[in-house]
Amino acid sequence: MFDLLEAKVEQYNRPDFIALDPISIPHQYTRPQDIEITAFWASILAWGQRKTIINKCQELFGLMDHAPYDFILHHQENDLKPFLDFKHRTFNATDTLYFIDFLRRHYQRFDSLEDAFLVGMNRESANVESALIGFQEVFTDSPFFPARTRKHIASPQRKSSCKRLNMFLRWMVRKDDRGVDFGIWDRILPAQLVCPCDVHVDRVGRVLGLIQRPVTDWQTALELTESLKELCPEDPVKYDFALFGLGIEGFAS
């Protein structure tokens, strides 16, 4: 199994992977804050067909003149009107406007979105569980927070596998020279990441015996990650490429 997964990491952790994946959106930017904003939003909208996800992200950031960090900090109220028509599946204008408001408030205080994930977490933490719990608390800490938007920010406290946020953290934290993940954050370690548990990863992980838990939830994501740490303790989530790729290929289907 180790040789199979290593070979698939080599096959899929390469720039060819980017074009058809939502990670192609932040790869259009070079400013760290633009990368963070577009990666965060692309991961949250990563629901459905990948082509549609990419097109909706292009639409969204086109409304910001493809300068999201400048827009977030300097927009005026009238600039928000075009966003009233933005929608992707259950993500609607209310959610969009709150995301903009949250990001504005955050970047007025901090240079990096990483700070929002550091509440209750440090370099001794076993994994990013407390980071995800703390982030939801930070994200929802506003008297104007719309209750409907909570469903877009998963938390281990609600037993979610937190697939999208774990994917975002992989993009920001993992460091290698392959040109896919960005590795622009330094205060969360690759060894602390939890593997995004999407349908492909979940199915292949079960066939390979990496997952025994009968349901898919936060504990399942932890179980999978612990199994992957036996193969590579310092960077277990690199195998996300392998498991996802095998799923796309139809392995075990």
Side-chain angles (χ1 to χ4, degrees):
M1 179 173 61
F2 175 77
D3 290 342
L4 171 65
L5 294 181
E6 286 289 332
K8 289 302 176 180
V9 171
E10 182 70 18
Q11 178 180 347
Y12 287 103
N13 186 17
R14 55 194 303 163
D16 293 350
F17 176 85
I18 294 172
L20 301 178
D21 191 84
I23 201 174
S24 64
I25 298 298
H27 270 286
Q28 298 172 14
Y29 300 87
T30 57
R31 192 175 191 172
Q33 291 87 351
D34 285 332
I35 293 172
E36 291 178 343
I37 293 167
T38 55
F40 173 59
W41 226 314
S43 66
I44 296 299
L45 296 181
W47 179 15
Q49 295 185 343
R50 289 189 288 171
K51 182 178 179 180
T52 301
I53 295 164
I54 292 170
N55 287 340
K56 293 305 291 189
C57 288
Q58 295 285 32
E59 175 188 341
L60 175 65
F61 299 121
L63 296 176
M64 303 179 189
D65 294 324
H66 295 289
Y69 182 58
D70 283 341
F71 179 87
I72 291 296
L73 284 184
H74 304 302
H75 68 271
Q76 303 297 315
E77 186 172 352
N78 285 342
D79 298 326
L80 298 175
K81 290 181 180 179
F83 295 91
L84 296 176
D85 296 321
F86 182 78
K87 187 178 189 301
H88 175 59
R89 301 183 76 109
T90 66
F91 193 96
N92 68 11
T94 298
D95 307 314
T96 304
L97 294 176
Y98 185 78
F99 269 57
I100 291 172
D101 178 67
F102 163 74
L103 290 168
R104 177 186 57 81
R105 288 184 284 110
H106 178 80
Y107 283 113
Q108 285 175 340
R109 297 182 58 201
F110 301 98
D111 290 331
S112 172
L113 192 55
E114 185 177 16
D115 290 276
F117 286 86
L118 296 175
V119 176
M121 181 178 175
N122 56 50
R123 296 175 78 87
E124 283 70 51
S125 301
N127 55 54
V128 295
E129 179 171 346
S130 58
L132 295 174
I133 293 171
F135 176 72
Q136 189 189 72
E137 293 173 355
V138 170
F139 183 84
T140 60
D141 186 20
S142 167
F144 305 107
F145 175 71
R148 60 154 286 116
T149 304
R150 185 181 297 274
K151 66 177 176 287
H152 297 300
I153 303 297
S155 171
Q157 287 185 317
R158 302 206 311 273
K159 300 184 179 181
S160 171
S161 68
C162 301
K163 176 191 71 175
R164 296 179 183 87
L165 287 177
N166 281 326
M167 181 173 68
F168 169 64
L169 292 178
R170 193 204 88 197
W171 294 353
M172 296 296 96
V173 173
R174 278 200 72 250
K175 293 171 174 59
D176 58 27
D177 59 357
R178 304 307 300 273
V180 181
D181 293 327
F182 293 91
I184 59 175
W185 289 2
D186 295 316
R187 289 171 286 175
I188 300 173
L189 303 175
Q192 295 174 307
L193 294 174
V194 172
C195 191
C197 206
D198 80 345
V199 62
H200 300 292
V201 170
D202 185 272
R203 185 177 71 248
V204 175
R206 293 180 186 280
V207 170
L208 293 177
L210 300 169
I211 301 171
Q212 303 297 326
R213 189 171 172 81
V215 298
T216 300
D217 57 12
W218 179 249
Q219 292 302 318
T220 308
L222 291 181
E223 179 187 7
L224 172 60
T225 304
E226 288 303 310
S227 295
L228 297 176
K229 282 184 176 181
E230 295 180 10
L231 304 177
C232 185
E234 71 277 8
D235 188 17
V237 176
K238 74 175 184 179
Y239 296 113
D240 183 28
F241 290 104
L243 297 174
F244 179 80
L246 284 167
I248 292 294
E249 292 174 6
F251 179 86
S253 62

